[in-house]
Amino acid sequence: MLPNYNNSLELLESVQQEQLYQKLLLQLKKDFELANVPINLPLDIAPEELKSIIHEKIYFLIVEKFPEYLNLLYVVDISEKEIKKIAPSDVVDISAEVSFLLLKREWQKVWYKAKYSH
């Protein structure tokens, strides 16, 4: 069972400990591509930088390209219920929360594949 994380960095540290960080990056690239949202994620990117890039991208999508943002949520499979739990505030805070949900969901996919694909 996946543990509960309090924030994106805590989650990313756990991913590195499980040695699945590269797989998480590949999953992120794949889903962003499927959603037609270009993102540049080098395979040697640091977790802090990854968190920052995802946050900036989500912020940009919410402000500038809302249909693409909704499509990304759909492709990544973030539940509407989770999104509705986010307290209405400024876009920076909302995009940080959505980034965390996105990373959490992608991590679930990678973790389950790693655990059950033997």
Side-chain angles (χ1 to χ4, degrees):
M1 188 75 193
L2 278 166
N4 260 341
Y5 301 102
N6 296 316
N7 59 52
S8 298
L9 283 177
E10 197 179 281
L11 180 146
L12 291 171
E13 284 168 16
S14 175
V15 172
Q16 282 188 308
Q17 287 167 357
E18 298 264 350
Q19 297 177 339
L20 292 168
Y21 188 67
Q22 296 294 313
K23 288 190 170 151
L24 178 68
L25 288 174
L26 292 171
Q27 183 69 46
L28 284 162
K29 284 181 171 201
K30 179 179 139 194
D31 284 347
F32 271 82
E33 210 171 277
L34 279 171
N36 272 338
V37 175
I39 191 164
N40 182 19
L41 296 175
L43 289 177
D44 60 353
I45 191 171
E48 296 80 19
E49 198 179 342
L50 174 63
K51 175 186 173 273
S52 170
I53 286 175
I54 300 251
H55 184 191
E56 286 171 23
K57 182 60 84 171
I58 298 292
Y59 176 85
F60 170 77
L61 291 173
I62 290 172
V63 173
E64 303 278 330
K65 298 187 172 227
F66 201 72
E68 286 88 342
Y69 163 74
L70 294 176
N71 191 39
L72 179 65
L73 295 181
Y74 176 77
V75 167
V76 173
D77 189 29
I78 297 172
S79 81
E80 196 176 324
K81 194 167 78 179
E82 289 292 316
I83 296 291
K84 286 182 176 175
K85 282 185 199 169
I86 297 173
S89 58
D90 73 342
V91 180
V92 173
D93 292 342
I94 292 170
S95 56
E97 291 280 333
V98 172
S99 300
F100 180 47
L101 291 174
L102 183 138
L103 285 169
K104 234 176 13 182
R105 182 64 187 114
E106 295 288 43
W107 170 227
Q108 284 175 334
K109 292 179 188 178
V110 168
W111 188 84
Y112 283 116
K113 274 184 203 156
K115 188 154 177 72
Y116 297 112
S117 68
H118 298 292

